[in-house]
């Protein structure tokens, strides 16, 4: 089985509330490429930037307006092979659209877990993060995009590095392995691409889906590989950025340390 995934698209209902100012045609070509040769495509959360509206916190109205703005894209995503997960900026999609918190699949003796990753991020506790995003939304609506960018990309990133110490989902992998006996964990949330082996588990994060950096993860349970691919819309092709092997099947209690990077 082959499963592709990408995350953190942050689509909004208007250009000033669309974090990466996506072009629908480019995303449609990206999706067409990703679908080819994959049995499932998992959207690993924060598909929508639903918390820059008039009210504090993610709002269903923001999601609906965004779906209307990207009607062709949503028509594609709203049925198989696509699977929708909720993120922290669009957690309202769980109740509103049936988005999942986690998605788990097993094939060829490989168990794969998809999770956005915000549940492991200690900086997201309380009302503070929602209030911050509301302020960012007000700034963007008021034409102060540069200030909003500084808050999100500089200030909040520094706070995350201090309090969450980087990729909190990656640090949760040993616990997920013990809890769910997973062989692969795929996450989003951090906007930082990764593909490596953590405590015997293949771990991937495709990073943010944004213009010029359309990256996706590909899990092949038969070949037992996990790879990160970067799509070039100009050439309509993708190149392999990095790849790791999934550990071979092992009896309960055995060490899964045979997983490792592919290369010389």
């Amino acid at each position: 089985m082959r499963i592709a995934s990408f995350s953190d698209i942050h689509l909004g209902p208007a250009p000033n509330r669309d974090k990466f100012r996506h072009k629908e045609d480019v995303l449609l070509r990206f999706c067409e490429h990703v679908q080819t040769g994959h049995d499932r495509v998992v959207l690993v959360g924060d598909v929508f930037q639903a918390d820059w509206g008039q009210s504090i916190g993610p709002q269903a109205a923001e999601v609906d307006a965004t779906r209307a703005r990207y009607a062709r894209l949503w028509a594609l995503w709203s049925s198989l092979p696509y699977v929708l997960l909720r993120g922290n900026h669009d957690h309202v999609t769980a109740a509103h659209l049936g988005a999942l918190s986690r998605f788990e699949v097993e094939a060829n003796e490989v168990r794969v877990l998809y999770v956005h990753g915000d549940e492991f991020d200690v900086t997201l506790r309380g009302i503070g993060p929602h209030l911050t995003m509301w302020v960012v939304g007000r700034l963007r609506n008021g034409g102060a995009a540069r200030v909003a960018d500084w808050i999100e990309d500089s200030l909040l990133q520094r706070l995350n590095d201090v309090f969450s110490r980087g990729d909190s989902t990656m640090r949760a992998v040993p616990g997920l392995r013990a809890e769910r006996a997973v062989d692969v964990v795929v996450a989003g949330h951090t906007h930082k691409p990764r593909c490596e082996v953590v405590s015997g588990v293949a771990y991937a994060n495709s990073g943010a889906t944004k213009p010029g950096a359309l990256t996706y993860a590909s899990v092949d349970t038969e070949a037992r590989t996990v790879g990160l691919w970067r799509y070039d819309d100009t050439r309509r092709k993708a190149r392999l950025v990095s790849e790791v092997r999934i550990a071979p099947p092992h009896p309960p209690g055995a060490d899964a340390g045979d997983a490792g990077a592919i290369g010389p």
Side-chain angles (χ1 to χ4, degrees):
M1 186 175 191
R2 298 190 71 221
I3 314 158
S5 62
F6 53 95
S7 70
D8 298 275
I9 313 161
H10 293 276
L11 300 177
N16 63 344
R17 299 211 299 277
D18 194 312
K19 182 174 177 64
F20 299 125
R21 294 180 178 264
H22 285 289
K23 294 181 179 179
E24 188 174 27
D25 286 339
V26 174
L27 287 176
L28 285 167
R29 289 192 294 269
F30 172 60
C31 289
E32 180 181 7
H33 166 82
V34 171
Q35 279 183 227
T36 304
H38 288 98
D39 303 290
R40 289 285 186 275
V41 181
V42 185
L43 307 175
V44 193
D46 281 353
V47 171
F48 302 97
Q49 187 73 52
D51 52 3
W52 285 353
Q54 296 292 331
S55 302
I56 296 175
Q59 302 296 314
E62 294 288 295
V63 172
D64 288 341
T66 303
R67 290 163 65 200
R69 182 174 178 233
Y70 289 95
R72 291 177 297 158
L73 199 57
W74 180 249
L76 181 68
W77 288 349
S78 58
S79 61
L80 291 175
Y82 289 88
V83 177
L84 177 66
L85 269 61
R86 63 106 189 117
N88 53 297
H89 292 284
D90 63 359
H91 63 69
V92 68
T93 56
H96 191 55
L97 301 176
L100 305 175
S101 294
R102 294 183 176 188
F103 177 66
E104 193 172 305
V105 61
E106 186 169 359
N108 306 108
E109 298 184 86
V110 175
R111 182 173 292 179
V112 188
L113 174 66
Y114 292 86
V115 58
H116 183 62
D118 57 302
E119 62 191 89
F120 308 110
D121 188 345
V122 298
T123 67
L124 296 181
R125 297 171 183 172
I127 190 63
H130 289 319
L131 183 59
T132 301
M133 287 299 102
W134 179 80
V135 170
V136 167
R138 298 302 89 218
L139 289 169
R140 292 191 182 280
N141 287 333
R146 289 187 178 181
V147 178
D149 287 339
W150 177 81
I151 292 174
E152 284 200 288
D153 301 332
S154 181
L155 178 60
L156 293 182
Q157 187 59 58
R158 290 176 185 174
L159 290 173
N160 183 75
D161 290 341
V162 171
F163 293 103
S164 194
R165 292 180 291 123
D167 193 332
S168 52
T169 306
M170 188 173 70
R171 292 199 306 278
V173 164
L176 291 170
R177 178 190 181 196
E179 173 192 343
R180 304 297 305 163
V182 293
D183 301 289
V184 181
V185 174
V186 182
H189 186 54
T190 66
H191 294 198
K192 296 180 178 180
R194 305 187 83 113
C195 187
E196 56 192 274
V197 175
V198 181
S199 299
V201 175
Y203 175 72
N205 187 321
S206 60
T209 304
K210 55 186 178 180
L214 296 174
T215 309
Y216 63 95
S218 179
V219 177
D220 189 328
T221 62
E222 186 173 0
R224 305 189 75 86
T225 58
V226 178
L228 279 187
W229 293 78
R230 174 72 61 86
Y231 173 75
D232 184 337
D233 188 59
T234 302
R235 301 178 64 195
R236 310 289 170 85
K237 293 182 179 180
R239 64 177 178 87
L240 182 63
V241 177
S242 59
E243 190 173 64
V244 296
R245 295 189 187 278
I246 301 169
H250 54 279
D255 185 11
D258 292 334
I262 294 176

